[in-house]
C-alpha cells in the first residue's frame, strides 16, 4: 500500500489560523516537505511538532521528486507545506502533486487561508468570476505588456506584488486600465497591521503615496474587471498617451476621441490624472 500525500495549508500571518486538522496531520506523517526548512522549523516548534523536514523549492523540485515518490510508493505518508498559505499557489508542490496523481498515489488537502482568496473576500469587488494572475512582472516593459493584455478582461483580477513595486504597478494599471478602475490594496492580511483600501486608481495612488506605512508589508492587489462599455477604452488610453507626446492634452484627447470614439473628456481626464 502506498502512503498518502497531504497538501497542508499553513497560516498567512496569524498563527491562530492553523487548523487542528492541519496540526494533527503534520504530527502524524512520516515526512514533511517544506519550501524553506528553517522557516518551517519555527512554525513546527511553535506547535510542538517534531518531524523530519525535507526541502523542496523551485531550484531543486525536479531533482527531488523521484525520491519523494519512491518513499510514498513504499508506504510513507508525506505532507507538503510552503512558507505560508496554500502550497502550489505560487509556491512549490505542483510537480510533486502531479507525479503523485500519475503514480496513482492517494492525495488529499487540508485547506486553510490563501492570500488571494482572503483579499478577494475583503475587497468589496465582484467575486462571482475572477482570475488569479500571480506576480506582476518586475520589469517596466514586461509589466506594461502583461497589464495591457488584461485591460479588456471583465472578470475581477487578482495579483501579488512586492512592497518595492506596488506604487509603480498601480501607476502602470492607471495607464493601461484608466484612472476610474477600482482596485483594492490588501496589505498584511490576518496580521496586526492588516489593511484593505478599495478606491479608483486615481485616488488610490495618492493614498499610497500619502503615507509610507501604506506601502509596507505583503500585498495582494484585486482589480475590478473591465465594464462591457469600457472594453475598448484601454486601447484609447494607449493611443491618447502616444498622441500627447506631440500635442497638448486637450488637443491630444480630441484627436484620440475622433480616432477611437471614446469620449474626449474621459481621455483628457486619463491624461491629466
Ligand atoms: N501560497 C501562498 C498563499 O496561498 O497565500 C502565496 C505565496 S506567494 C509566494 C507570496 C505572496 O502572497 C506575497 O508576496 C504576497 O503578495 C502574498 N501574501 C502572502 N501572505 C500575505 C498576507 N498576509 N497579506 C498580503 N499578501 C500576502
Amino acid at each position: 500500500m502506498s502512503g498518502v500525500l497531504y497538501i497542508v495549508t499553513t497560516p498567512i500571518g496569524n498563527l491562530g489560523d492553523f487548523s487542528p486538522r492541519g496540526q494533527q496531520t503534520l504530527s502524524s506523517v512520516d515526512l514533511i516537505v517544506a519550501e524553506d526548512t528553517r522557516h518551517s522549523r519555527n512554525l513546527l516548534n511553535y506547535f510542538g511538532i517534531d518531524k523530519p523536514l525535507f526541502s523542496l523549492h523551485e531550484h531543486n523540485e525536479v531533482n527531488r521528486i523521484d525520491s519523494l515518490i519512491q518513499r510514498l510508493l513504499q508506504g510513507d505518508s508525506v505532507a507538503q507545506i510552503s512558507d505560508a498559505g496554500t502550497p502550489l499557489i505560487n509556491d512549490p508542490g505542483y510537480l510533486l502533486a502531479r507525479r503523485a496523481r500519475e503514480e496513482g498515489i492517494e492525495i488529499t488537502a487540508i485547506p486553510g487561508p490563501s492570500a488571494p482568496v482572503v483579499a478577494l473576500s475583503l475587497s468589496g469587488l465582484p467575486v462571482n468570476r475572477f482570475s488569479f494572475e500571480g506576480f506582476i512582472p518586475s520589469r517596466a516593459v514586461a509589466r506594461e505588456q502583461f497589464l495591457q493584455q488584461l485591460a479588456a478582461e471583465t472578470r475581477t483580477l487578482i495579483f501579488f506584488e512586492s512592497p518595492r513595486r506596488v506604487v509603480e504597478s498601480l501607476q502602470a494599471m492607471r495607464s493601461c486600465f484608466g484612472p476610474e478602475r477600482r482596485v483594492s490594496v490588501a496589505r498584511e492580511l490576518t496580521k496586526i497591521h492588516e489593511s484593505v483600501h478599495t478606491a479608483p486608481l486615481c485616488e488610490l495612488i495618492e493614498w499610497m503615496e500619502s503615507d509610507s506605512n501604506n506601502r509596507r508589508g505583503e500585498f495582494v492587489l484585486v482589480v475590478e474587471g473591465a465594464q462591457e462599455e469600457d472594453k475598448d477604452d484601454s486601447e484609447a488610453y494607449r493611443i491618447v498617451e502616444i498622441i500627447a507626446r506631440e500635442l497638448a492634452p486637450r488637443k491630444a484627447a480630441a484627436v484620440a476621441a475622433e480616432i477611437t470614439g471614446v469620449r474626449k473628456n474621459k481621455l483628457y481626464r486619463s491624461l491629466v490624472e
Side-chain angles (χ1 to χ4, degrees):
M1 282 280 285
S2 59
V4 177
L5 173 62
Y6 297 91
I7 307 295
V8 180
T9 294
T10 56
I12 57 169
N14 190 322
L15 294 179
D17 293 337
F18 197 14
S19 73
R21 197 158 78 98
Q23 295 173 44
Q24 194 258 320
T25 302
L26 294 192
S27 305
S28 66
V29 291
D30 297 297
L31 174 72
I32 299 172
V33 177
E35 187 180 359
D36 174 345
T37 50
R38 265 193 304 180
H39 175 96
S40 292
R41 180 62 67 201
N42 291 337
L43 180 85
L44 299 187
N45 287 343
Y46 181 88
F47 287 99
I49 299 166
D50 184 18
K51 287 284 167 177
L53 275 171
F54 193 90
S55 93
L56 190 75
H57 46 72
E58 57 177 336
H59 303 297
N60 69 9
E61 202 173 7
V62 174
N63 296 334
R64 297 215 153 175
I65 284 178
D66 281 342
S67 62
L68 285 167
I69 292 292
Q70 278 316 312
R71 290 196 62 167
L72 281 156
L73 289 171
Q74 284 159 12
D76 283 346
S77 53
V78 174
Q80 164 84 63
I81 58 174
S82 62
D83 285 355
T86 302
L88 282 76
I89 307 300
N90 262 106
D91 271 340
Y94 163 65
L95 294 178
L96 179 60
R98 189 177 76 177
R99 268 290 299 283
R101 276 240 165 263
E102 285 166 2
E103 301 284 344
I105 293 165
E106 187 183 340
I107 160 167
T108 189
I110 315 295
S114 190
V117 175
V118 178
L120 177 67
S121 68
L122 297 176
S123 67
L125 298 175
V127 294
N128 50 336
R129 298 189 68 198
F130 61 89
S131 174
F132 171 59
E133 298 293 335
F135 279 99
I136 298 172
S138 55
R139 288 174 189 270
V141 174
R143 176 169 55 217
E144 197 86 11
Q145 279 172 356
F146 174 75
L147 294 175
Q148 200 62 55
Q149 279 168 7
L150 293 167
E153 173 58 65
T154 53
R155 291 173 294 180
T156 298
L157 298 165
I158 307 176
F159 304 94
F160 289 153
E161 187 49 291
S162 99
R164 277 174 289 124
R165 289 186 293 270
V166 66
V167 172
E168 278 171 50
S169 279
L170 291 172
Q171 286 165 342
M173 283 181 187
R174 182 176 54 188
S175 80
C176 294
F177 302 162
E180 305 297 338
R181 189 78 77 93
R182 283 189 307 154
V183 173
S184 181
V185 174
R187 189 175 75 87
E188 295 288 272
L189 293 165
T190 77
K191 304 183 201 174
I192 295 171
H193 296 294
E194 173 178 288
S195 78
V196 177
H197 192 80
T198 304
L201 278 162
C202 49
E203 290 169 27
L204 195 61
I205 293 168
E206 261 179 49
W207 176 81
M208 289 292 280
E209 286 172 336
S210 68
D211 182 350
S212 61
N213 287 324
N214 297 342
R215 306 189 291 275
R216 291 214 173 99
E218 293 194 284
F219 287 91
V220 180
L221 304 178
V222 184
V223 181
E224 179 181 43
Q227 307 297 305
E228 282 298 333
E229 68 269 20
D230 288 344
K231 264 188 158 182
D232 299 329
D233 290 5
S234 59
E235 183 60 5
Y237 293 134
R238 200 176 69 81
I239 290 171
V240 76
E241 283 205 13
I242 295 169
I243 298 174
R245 289 179 205 151
E246 306 294 332
L247 296 179
R250 276 195 196 286
K251 192 81 189 140
V255 174
E258 211 171 315
I259 296 170
T260 62
V262 173
R263 279 187 298 113
K264 190 170 67 181
N265 280 352
K266 206 169 181 184
L267 295 175
Y268 176 71
R269 280 191 62 198
S270 87
L271 276 183
V272 294
E273 277 166 359

